[in-house]
Amino acid sequence: MESSSVTSGGRTRREATRQKLYEAAVTLIAEQGFSATTVDEIAERAGVAKGTVYYNFASKSVLFEELLRHGVGLLTASLQEAADRTARDGRGKVDALDAMIRAGLVFIDRYPAFTQLYVAELWRTNRAWQNTLMVVRQQAVAVVEDVLREGVANGEFSEEIDVPLTASALVGMVLVAALDWKSFQPERSLDDVHAALSRLLQGRVSGRP
């Protein structure tokens, strides 16, 4: 039991350290770009020794790749929880998509710097972590695809819906609208932005007037 507690405590401390490194890296890279950001700066911003960075991550590139996995993993979990919650409440798939839109906005409101980096990296093709980025992106989109397929199967959505493209469009809509909100319309509330996207969803995806 004592050995297990020590192991658990060590794991918790390491997770906390890695979280600090993620937060430091995402802030610095958002401010000055990946190439211009050094490991020394990441360590200083995180309040740890440079060796601690290399203890947790083999290189700056590995740190950034794991940052992408971590961030998109949090987003995917948020979307899945929103879908699961509406299912438990007995609500339909349109409500599930609407809840997922809100969950995405909440995530972006909490992690704007990460979202900015993520969207920027989607347009790059020369990064070492490109394959990882495609995998984690598909994990997030797949959650939306599942809801759309279930909606088609139960007759809530038209069979003519292109499920993969519609799922990508919905995720992209949330990302772009939220970045525009944070950058150019910060006076708007999250509820305002959600209401606008919800109306688009209700009128286009569900076919409701």
Side-chain angles (χ1 to χ4, degrees), residues 75-88 99-100 103 143:
L75 172 60
T76 302
S78 296
L79 298 177
Q80 186 65 66
E81 168 55 27
D84 293 343
R85 187 170 60 252
T86 56
R88 289 195 300 270
M100 293 164 85
V143 178

Side-chain angles (χ1 to χ4, degrees), residues 105-170:
L105 291 173
V106 169
F107 175 88
I108 294 165
D109 189 39
R110 185 175 180 183
Y111 305 109
F114 172 78
T115 307
Q116 180 183 347
L117 280 179
Y118 172 65
V119 172
E121 289 302 315
L122 286 174
W123 290 96
R124 302 182 189 276
T125 58
N126 60 343
R127 298 297 205 192
W129 49 78
Q130 188 67 24
N131 287 339
T132 296
L133 185 61
M134 292 300 100
V135 169
V136 295
R137 171 202 166 274
Q138 184 52 40
Q139 289 171 351
V141 173
V143 178
V144 184
E145 289 182 359
D146 288 344
V147 172
L148 287 169
R149 288 194 179 93
E150 290 167 3
V152 171
N154 69 18
E156 207 171 336
F157 303 142
S158 169
E159 294 182 357
E160 296 179 358
I161 285 180
D162 184 321
V163 169
L165 188 57
T166 301
S168 296
L170 286 171

Side-chain angles (χ1 to χ4, degrees):
M1 289 294 290
E2 182 178 349
S3 175
S4 176
S5 297
V6 171
T7 300
S8 177
R11 184 181 301 114
T12 300
R13 285 193 296 274
R14 187 176 185 190
E15 289 172 353
T17 298
R18 289 168 74 94
Q19 183 63 39
K20 288 196 295 185
L21 291 172
Y22 287 144
E23 292 172 358
V26 75
T27 301
L28 286 167
I29 295 171
E31 290 174 354
Q32 57 195 34
F34 176 80
S35 299
T37 300
T38 67
V39 172
D40 291 291
E41 289 173 320
I42 294 172
E44 182 179 358
R45 180 67 67 93
V48 301
K50 182 177 179 179
T52 301
V53 181
Y54 288 115
Y55 175 76
N56 286 274
F57 305 99
S59 66
K60 184 177 70 171
S61 292
V62 172
L63 167 57
F64 191 67
E65 185 171 353
E66 289 303 311
L67 170 63
L68 291 172
R69 288 183 185 275
H70 176 71
V72 180
L74 290 176
L75 172 60
T76 302
S78 296
L79 298 177
Q80 186 65 66
E81 168 55 27
D84 293 343
R85 187 170 60 252
T86 56
R88 289 195 300 270
D89 293 342
R91 290 182 284 162
K93 300 308 175 186
V94 174
D95 290 333
L97 293 175
D98 190 54
M100 293 164 85
I101 286 174
R102 186 173 185 87
L105 291 173
V106 169
F107 175 88
I108 294 165
D109 189 39
R110 185 175 180 183
Y111 305 109
F114 172 78
T115 307
Q116 180 183 347
L117 280 179
Y118 172 65
V119 172
E121 289 302 315
L122 286 174
W123 290 96
R124 302 182 189 276
T125 58
N126 60 343
R127 298 297 205 192
W129 49 78
Q130 188 67 24
N131 287 339
T132 296
L133 185 61
M134 292 300 100
V135 169
V136 295
R137 171 202 166 274
Q138 184 52 40
Q139 289 171 351
V141 173
V143 178
V144 184
E145 289 182 359
D146 288 344
V147 172
L148 287 169
R149 288 194 179 93
E150 290 167 3
V152 171
N154 69 18
E156 207 171 336
F157 303 142
S158 169
E159 294 182 357
E160 296 179 358
I161 285 180
D162 184 321
V163 169
L165 188 57
T166 301
S168 296
L170 286 171
V171 172
M173 175 184 73
V174 173
L175 289 172
V176 173
L179 287 177
D180 185 87
W181 161 41
K182 303 301 288 185
S183 299
F184 304 113
Q185 304 180 67
E187 71 281 0
R188 289 183 177 271
S189 69
L190 190 150
D191 288 338
D192 287 340
V193 180
H194 176 221
L197 298 187
S198 181
R199 281 190 289 272
L200 285 174
L201 171 71
Q202 300 291 344
R204 299 301 180 184
V205 176
S206 71
R208 295 176 183 172

